[in-house]
Amino acid sequence: MTYTVNCSILLTELPLLERPAAAKAAGFDAVEFWWPFDTSVPTDAETTKFENAIKDAGVQLTGLNFNAGNMPAGDRGLVSWPARSSEFLDNIDVVAGIGERLDCKAFNALYGNRVDGESAEKQDAIGAENLASAAEGIARIGGTVLLEPVSGAPKYPLLKAADALKVIARVKEESGATNVKLLADFYHLAVNGDDVAAVIENHAKDFGHIQIADNPGRGAPGTGELPLGEWIARSRELGYEGFISLEYKEPQETAFSWAIRQRATSH
């Protein structure tokens, strides 16, 4: 199984730049991150430090978020946020540059919350334009832009797979972009009441990426009630060939106990 460790939600006891090496030490060869900088256009020194931490650890960067704003404060992306649209556009070349240098191909563009005083129609029109711009910028390095339904953010409008797929279809229709794909986060979909098994049956071959956490609690696999193993296996059967991202909350000392148990029983 090809797992990748989301180092923005796991190993948080460590400084950010020490986490890739910790993931490697835990037996993983791949990592991903939410946007690791405070601004859309960090300094060259900042990006170099981040890239070196990944290269020095000997892991592959498999995914990177575009700048999503202040996530702890509740921001969930700049894509459809009119007042910050230019920040998102400025971010595209930076993201593509990091991707090109680290051979990363998948980039999550969080859509953004509904904004008071702006119509949904206006936000969705800007969102489609900005996703098309991101798709064009990322296509230059052979990459894919990911769009994700999210739970726990009351003003985030993409709750189920169908919501994201509708936006993706609009982007394709308006711009011709074919490299915007669904990020299937099984935890978010399940929490939002989606029929995850049906989403897999209908769309697994077209998933751009899969992320997992158990529910309730967004903990490690096996801590809750979701049939994550079955869902992953079925996605594979139906043609999904990408990484499975570990995007859950668990203390460092027990973060990967389930994977060790899984390896022990499979030999």
Side-chain angles (χ1 to χ4, degrees), residues 168-218:
I168 291 166
R170 176 177 179 168
V171 174
K172 184 177 180 180
E173 187 182 332
E174 292 180 0
S175 72
T178 57
N179 61 325
V180 184
K181 296 197 171 179
L182 177 68
L183 195 170
D185 182 313
F186 292 161
Y187 166 78
H188 287 313
L189 295 176
V191 169
N192 285 341
D194 217 337
D195 184 339
V196 180
V199 172
I200 291 167
E201 289 301 317
N202 294 323
H203 303 290
K205 68 181 186 307
D206 301 316
F207 287 168
H209 194 43
I210 289 175
Q211 293 177 329
I212 61 168
D214 217 329
N215 187 49
R218 203 175 185 179

Side-chain angles (χ1 to χ4, degrees), residues 146-167:
L146 304 170
L147 191 63
E148 177 183 25
V150 168
S151 64
K155 293 186 172 182
Y156 191 88
L158 309 184
L159 300 178
K160 297 187 175 182
D163 300 326
L165 290 165
K166 187 176 167 188
V167 174

Side-chain angles (χ1 to χ4, degrees), residues 5-265:
V5 177
N6 188 302
C7 290
S8 293
I9 194 171
L10 282 163
L11 306 171
T12 55
E13 296 88 345
L14 299 170
L16 187 88
L17 298 183
E18 291 178 20
R19 296 176 202 168
K24 180 73 170 180
F28 297 92
D29 295 321
V31 298
E32 65 180 30
F33 280 85
W34 301 340
W35 186 241
F37 309 105
D38 294 330
T39 59
S40 283
V41 185
T43 65
D44 289 348
E46 286 175 310
T47 53
T48 299
K49 267 187 196 170
F50 174 71
E51 291 167 15
N52 285 345
I54 289 167
K55 287 190 276 198
D56 293 348
V59 290
Q60 173 63 46
L61 183 68
T62 61
L64 182 67
N65 283 20
F66 289 87
N67 183 14
N70 186 341
M71 296 268 286
D75 292 348
R76 288 294 181 274
L78 309 181
V79 169
S80 65
W81 189 345
R84 300 187 69 180
S85 182
S86 63
E87 281 179 72
F88 178 76
L89 294 172
D90 289 345
N91 191 219
I92 295 170
D93 280 346
V94 184
V95 169
I98 294 170
E100 186 169 33
R101 290 185 293 274
L102 293 179
D103 195 30
C104 176
K105 301 291 187 192
F107 307 94
N108 184 12
L110 284 169
Y111 193 65
N113 295 322
R114 289 302 192 213
V115 179
D116 293 338
E118 299 282 7
S119 72
E121 291 76 14
K122 178 181 174 183
Q123 284 199 253
D124 289 339
I126 287 172
E129 285 176 24
N130 285 340
L131 284 170
S133 296
E136 185 181 0
I138 293 303
R140 291 198 297 268
I141 63 165
T144 300
V145 176
L146 304 170
L147 191 63
E148 177 183 25
V150 168
S151 64
K155 293 186 172 182
Y156 191 88
L158 309 184
L159 300 178
K160 297 187 175 182
D163 300 326
L165 290 165
K166 187 176 167 188
V167 174
I168 291 166
R170 176 177 179 168
V171 174
K172 184 177 180 180
E173 187 182 332
E174 292 180 0
S175 72
T178 57
N179 61 325
V180 184
K181 296 197 171 179
L182 177 68
L183 195 170
D185 182 313
F186 292 161
Y187 166 78
H188 287 313
L189 295 176
V191 169
N192 285 341
D194 217 337
D195 184 339
V196 180
V199 172
I200 291 167
E201 289 301 317
N202 294 323
H203 303 290
K205 68 181 186 307
D206 301 316
F207 287 168
H209 194 43
I210 289 175
Q211 293 177 329
I212 61 168
D214 217 329
N215 187 49
R218 203 175 185 179
T223 59
E225 299 161 3
L226 299 183
L228 295 169
E230 292 171 30
W231 287 345
I232 292 167
R234 186 63 180 146
S235 298
R236 294 276 190 228
E237 285 172 10
L238 292 170
Y240 176 73
E241 297 177 343
F243 286 89
I244 306 295
S245 164
L246 308 178
E247 199 193 42
Y248 54 81
K249 298 173 182 175
E250 190 72 29
Q252 185 183 352
E253 62 270 19
T254 54
F256 309 114
S257 305
W258 65 273
I260 294 162
R261 284 197 300 274
Q262 194 179 73
R263 282 200 285 270
T265 55

